[in-house]
Amino acid sequence: MSAALKYTLGRIGLFVAVLAGLWLIDMNVFLKLMLALVFSAALSFFLLRGWRDEMAGEIAEAAERRKVEKERLRTALAGEDPQDPNPNPTQDPPADSPR
């Protein structure tokens, strides 16, 4: 299961748990929802720290993979091959280079 899904389900679960606890108190439904949102956000900051850090790591890795793939595609579209040190083998090397 991905870390983002785990974290999201954890946040929703905390919200539902806090709302269930507030449901027993006699107050306006809108106020109960707002308080549940605030309290669950505060609790998730402390209780779900590990899942949040795991999710941030996955996002950072995905961003790095996209960055590398984007750079690879740019060089391929520019006609350069990053593995080939001499992109034009038919041309002679410069005169000052050793043969």
Side-chain angles (χ1 to χ4, degrees), residues 84-99:
D84 188 10
N86 188 7
N88 296 323
T90 58
Q91 291 180 344
D92 289 331
D96 61 334
S97 69
R99 292 187 183 227

Side-chain angles (χ1 to χ4, degrees), residues 74-90:
R74 277 193 179 150
T75 57
L77 287 172
E80 302 167 1
D81 187 9
Q83 286 81 23
D84 188 10
N86 188 7
N88 296 323
T90 58

Side-chain angles (χ1 to χ4, degrees), residues 56-85:
E58 282 184 5
I59 291 171
E61 289 171 7
E64 183 63 29
R65 282 193 310 268
R66 282 193 305 271
K67 180 180 169 186
V68 168
E69 182 64 16
K70 184 177 180 181
E71 186 60 35
R72 187 190 67 77
L73 288 172
R74 277 193 179 150
T75 57
L77 287 172
E80 302 167 1
D81 187 9
Q83 286 81 23
D84 188 10

Side-chain angles (χ1 to χ4, degrees), residues 36-54:
L37 184 67
V38 170
F39 288 147
S40 67
L43 285 173
S44 71
F45 183 74
F46 298 106
L47 298 178
L48 302 179
R49 176 176 292 151
W51 288 351
R52 185 176 57 248
D53 292 343
E54 186 181 339

